[in-house]
Amino acid sequence: MVSLKAAWRIENLHRAWRWIRSNPDRAYKGYFRELYSAYATADDPLLKHLKGRLDRHIFEPSDSCKLFLPKPSGILRPYTLLNIEDQIVYQAMANVVAERLLPHVKGRYNKQVFGHQYAGSTSLWFYRKWSTGYKAFNAAAEAAFSAGYQWTASFDLTAFYDSIDHDVLRHVLREIGLDHDFCTELTRLLNRWTATRTQIYHHHGIPQGPLSSGLISEAVLKHFDERFKTRYDVRYLRYVDDIRLFAKSEDHLRHALVLLDHLSKDVGLFPQSGKIDIHRINDINKELKSVSVPVEPALTGPVPDQRAIKSRLAELAPRTTGYAVSDSTRFKFLLARAAPSLRILDRLWRVFDRAPHFYPQLSAYLQKFHVLPDLHADRLLVQIRDQNLYPVIRASLVTAADGRLSVARTKKLRSLLKPLWMPRTNAPELSASLWRALHRVDHLTDRQADYALLHAHSSWLRMSLHFGMPWLNVPKPRRDRLLNASMRGADADGAAAAAWLGALLDIDVQRPIRDIHPLAKIILRESGKLRRADSRVCGIRMAIKDMTGAEIDIKWRKLFGKGYAQAESKIVACKGYFTTNPTAWVNMLDVFNDVLLDALFRRDGTIGAPSLGNFGGITHNVKFKTKYPKTHAYAVLVHEKRLQSELSHAIVKTTKAPTTRIPFKWLKVGRAALSAAVSELLAAGY
């Protein structure tokens, strides 16, 4: 069985980081391009630092940033932006899954399975080229049709990524040889990454957007590939979660669909019944979503034929059908190669009015113009003003307008954007787009900018605002103050961004250095802004903060000395039980208290000799009780509660009553006592 150690090997973390940077999905990388550059300046020490926290079990995932993109149906598709370390950890685990999964699926590549094909550990890219797999998918479909399989149906799964149950995922991962700890840790992380801003955590789903998710989904889809066994003559082809069936008769096709329905119920997934269109094929080319079958004549020459592109776009979105696009894949492909044209832009506006999900194509095409004609600029301004249903569309249009309007229309844009600036409530992508545009038109006050930069409601947004700030126009005192404050924030991505910018802008790093985020310290040190800096993370401090909510700056390494690693492992394990098992939490906390009091007695020679394991001697120690009353009370409280725990004894020795489980409501009592004790130790100089 493969364990977590395989995922946390330094060479695997480096491989994960390499594949994240080579991700061919330009859209996802575009949200992090500057941050990737910042991380790359010190990637070796940063990855070693990450490995250290993973090995010590003190790595904690961050809440993700969710974008919601409109589908053709009008409902929303979640798109997940993970913090950079979360991306690396997720990819590192996906690497291990990929290696274990490959022997089970490689024989079906380009025969039955055509998407998310693992390229191998030595490849520059994580997946094989998607276009090669898609061409093979189309070729297999054509071959089936030519062989007489003229009946077809698609079997799509409803909200597939969002619906993957974590119990099912653990089951299929164990089937390919991954141990319990690996499977449990992966689903623990996914539980955090799939939640929205409400922080209502789910036990299903994988994040859409990150490179790793495609491979993780393949582990579940393997269930269909392996178990699709029917006595009927049916061809089975799968591209990601789109299963295409070909048969020589409708009856055979229906039997195959029933089998797939049973298989989907095995793993808690649901087919999209509205998309199961059983029909006889008349033209195989119309069945295939491909830009290469047949080849577009407008693109066959050395230079795209712009006149032919215009004509072809008109055919694909004709006025006679109300500008409905007949083949969206071809339409998008041709539009990406079209030069700026007012005729095409007018048609694209009409397509967008009918189908708002074409907003990325509209925004990208608008950005091909250096200056938009006033007629189209006015239309753009109206859309920005009135688009209040989909924040991502408004954000995209604001980006398209930024810097492309005449002087008169820029004034209108300026007055239009300021009322939209509501960083506390706006979707993060809209705030990021408004931030850049408002700075360009000089329409944010220093106070508004400072507040947003330091207090934005998502980690990704804070990072994005840092890279969108026109720092060269900011006076040095303010610039130094803001970047120093950001480097001391709890948010790793924001601190890393601030450190990289601070090094580029040669800010004066303020003291004390110990308050700077560890990742920021590493970047500053590698950039020459710090000669040396302790970037170690204290797991004890983190665990106590998570449990009590209080940031208490005790020098735990000095207090525990050589026993620090033992103490850290105990309190980190204790933190894991805090929200899941109060009974185990109390027992583990009592173990931590044992080593804590032993260290305290060794450091403070005025309260007696250390007596590890002799709790009775500590309980009745008058000097200890007098000098550290809150710590004494806390230790006694936890120890006596442990004696009532069913994990300790069968009966309570003092009352002879049966021991029981500790209720969750007691956590409030225990955490308050812990906070008081640690605060007392801080006041005593530790």
Side-chain angles (χ1 to χ4, degrees), residues 31 65 75 109 155 214 247 271 328 356 409 500 555 649 653:
Y31 290 105
C65 176
I75 63 173
Y109 279 179
F155 187 88
S328 61
R409 295 318 186 269
W500 188 62
K555 298 178 180 61
H649 303 287
K653 291 183 179 180

Side-chain angles (χ1 to χ4, degrees), residues 313-354:
L313 289 172
E315 291 176 13
L316 292 168
R319 182 174 60 182
T320 55
T321 63
Y323 300 95
V325 177
S326 58
D327 188 330
S328 61
T329 303
R330 289 179 178 272
F331 185 81
K332 294 174 185 177
F333 184 74
L334 286 163
L335 188 64
R337 286 151 181 79
S341 162
L342 296 180
R343 178 180 165 189
I344 293 177
L345 181 56
D346 183 67
R347 184 174 301 275
L348 187 53
W349 276 118
R350 296 172 190 274
V351 169
F352 170 76
D353 288 340
R354 179 187 178 94

Side-chain angles (χ1 to χ4, degrees), residues 254-392:
R254 290 189 180 277
H255 277 89
L257 286 169
V258 169
L259 172 59
L260 287 177
D261 194 20
H262 279 293
L263 292 175
S264 66
K265 288 174 171 54
D266 288 344
V267 289
L269 298 171
F270 305 94
Q272 296 190 53
S273 56
K275 286 190 175 182
I276 300 176
D277 178 22
I278 302 173
H279 63 279
R280 183 189 289 274
I281 303 169
N282 294 317
D283 183 350
I284 187 62
N285 289 328
K286 290 183 178 179
E287 299 288 329
L288 306 178
K289 297 178 181 179
S290 172
V291 297
S292 59
V293 184
V295 174
E296 287 290 344
L299 304 176
T300 55
V303 178
D305 184 342
Q306 294 299 325
R307 179 177 292 183
I309 288 177
K310 290 179 187 178
S311 177
R312 187 73 175 110
L313 289 172
E315 291 176 13
L316 292 168
R319 182 174 60 182
T320 55
T321 63
Y323 300 95
V325 177
S326 58
D327 188 330
S328 61
T329 303
R330 289 179 178 272
F331 185 81
K332 294 174 185 177
F333 184 74
L334 286 163
L335 188 64
R337 286 151 181 79
S341 162
L342 296 180
R343 178 180 165 189
I344 293 177
L345 181 56
D346 183 67
R347 184 174 301 275
L348 187 53
W349 276 118
R350 296 172 190 274
V351 169
F352 170 76
D353 288 340
R354 179 187 178 94
H357 64 277
F358 281 99
Y359 75 91
Q361 289 70 43
L362 173 62
S363 177
Y365 196 70
L366 287 168
Q367 292 177 59
K368 291 186 177 184
F369 292 83
H370 294 296
V371 178
L372 284 171
D374 286 350
L375 176 66
H376 291 281
D378 288 340
R379 197 165 188 173
L380 179 56
L381 292 172
V382 169
Q383 285 291 337
I384 292 172
R385 183 194 68 198
D386 296 343
Q387 179 52 253
N388 52 22
L389 181 60
Y390 301 114
V392 69

Side-chain angles (χ1 to χ4, degrees), residues 613-642:
N614 179 19
F615 195 82
I618 292 174
T619 302
H620 304 294
N621 187 313
V622 177
K623 292 181 179 179
F624 171 48
K625 183 177 182 180
T626 302
K627 190 169 184 179
Y628 301 100
K630 293 180 180 178
T631 306
H632 178 273
Y634 154 71
V636 171
L637 175 72
V638 172
H639 188 72
E640 290 181 349
K641 197 66 180 178
R642 183 189 71 81

Side-chain angles (χ1 to χ4, degrees), residues 71 82 85-86 111 117-118 135 180 195 202 206 218 274 301 342 384 391 394 447 539 553 642 665 667:
K71 292 183 176 183
L82 298 181
E85 287 196 325
D86 292 346
K111 297 175 183 176
Q117 299 177 358
Y118 177 51
K135 287 177 182 177
H180 176 81
H202 315 152
I206 61 177
E218 288 294 311
L342 296 180
I384 292 172
R394 178 178 268 170
R447 185 176 180 181
D553 190 18
R642 183 189 71 81
K665 65 181 181 181
L667 291 174

Side-chain angles (χ1 to χ4, degrees), residues 237-248:
L237 310 176
R238 180 175 65 78
Y239 189 86
V240 192
D241 62 330
D242 179 9
I243 299 173
R244 199 69 180 266
L245 300 176
F246 292 88
K248 293 182 178 180

Side-chain angles (χ1 to χ4, degrees), residues 338-613:
S341 162
L342 296 180
R343 178 180 165 189
I344 293 177
L345 181 56
D346 183 67
R347 184 174 301 275
L348 187 53
W349 276 118
R350 296 172 190 274
V351 169
F352 170 76
D353 288 340
R354 179 187 178 94
H357 64 277
F358 281 99
Y359 75 91
Q361 289 70 43
L362 173 62
S363 177
Y365 196 70
L366 287 168
Q367 292 177 59
K368 291 186 177 184
F369 292 83
H370 294 296
V371 178
L372 284 171
D374 286 350
L375 176 66
H376 291 281
D378 288 340
R379 197 165 188 173
L380 179 56
L381 292 172
V382 169
Q383 285 291 337
I384 292 172
R385 183 194 68 198
D386 296 343
Q387 179 52 253
N388 52 22
L389 181 60
Y390 301 114
V392 69
I393 294 182
R394 178 178 268 170
S396 183
L397 296 179
V398 168
T399 298
D402 188 15
R404 293 177 182 84
L405 307 185
S406 65
V407 174
R409 295 318 186 269
T410 299
K411 289 181 180 179
K412 290 185 178 182
L413 178 68
R414 191 174 189 269
S415 62
L416 178 64
L417 294 184
K418 191 58 178 285
L420 299 177
W421 178 248
M422 296 177 286
R424 292 184 181 180
T425 57
N426 275 344
E429 68 274 23
L430 179 56
S431 291
S433 182
L434 289 170
W435 174 263
R436 294 175 187 264
L438 285 168
H439 272 106
R440 186 183 291 272
V441 297
D442 194 23
H443 207 30
L444 277 180
T445 66
D446 288 356
R447 185 176 180 181
Q448 288 173 321
D450 292 2
Y451 179 84
L453 196 71
L454 300 177
H455 303 290
H457 58 70
S458 84
S459 174
W460 175 82
L461 180 56
R462 283 191 293 275
M463 178 271 294
S464 184
L465 297 188
H466 276 80
F467 288 118
M469 183 82 164
W471 291 106
L472 294 178
N473 299 331
V474 177
K476 180 173 171 53
R478 179 177 169 227
R479 187 167 64 206
D480 286 9
R481 173 176 59 82
L482 290 173
L483 291 175
N484 271 284
S486 292
M487 289 190 296
R488 288 164 169 79
D491 164 32
D493 282 8
W500 188 62
L501 289 165
L504 289 177
L505 298 167
D506 196 26
I507 66 165
D508 297 324
V509 180
Q510 297 171 358
R511 296 184 179 279
I513 302 300
R514 69 174 181 274
D515 293 343
I516 298 176
H517 193 282
L519 267 63
K521 287 181 186 177
I522 293 172
I523 292 173
L524 290 172
R525 187 178 64 214
E526 293 297 305
S527 302
K529 293 298 294 181
L530 293 178
R531 291 184 59 188
R532 61 183 65 179
D534 183 3
S535 58
R536 292 178 297 179
V537 174
C538 178
I540 299 176
R541 181 177 176 181
M542 287 175 58
I544 291 175
K545 180 183 177 182
D546 285 348
M547 291 186 289
T548 67
E551 183 74 64
I552 303 173
D553 190 18
I554 286 181
K555 298 178 180 61
W556 292 108
R557 293 180 187 277
K558 183 177 180 181
L559 175 61
F560 283 107
K562 294 181 179 180
Y564 174 83
Q566 180 192 19
E568 184 185 63
S569 69
K570 299 294 185 286
I571 197 66
V572 168
C574 186
K575 183 195 68 172
Y577 294 126
F578 183 69
T579 57
T580 59
N581 190 335
T583 306
W585 181 72
V586 168
N587 280 58
M588 201 69 210
L589 193 60
D590 191 57
V591 173
F592 171 74
N593 290 345
D594 211 7
V595 294
L596 171 63
L597 296 180
D598 181 66
L600 179 61
F601 273 67
R602 290 180 184 277
R603 291 292 173 185
D604 188 340
T606 66
I607 56 176
S611 52
L612 186 64

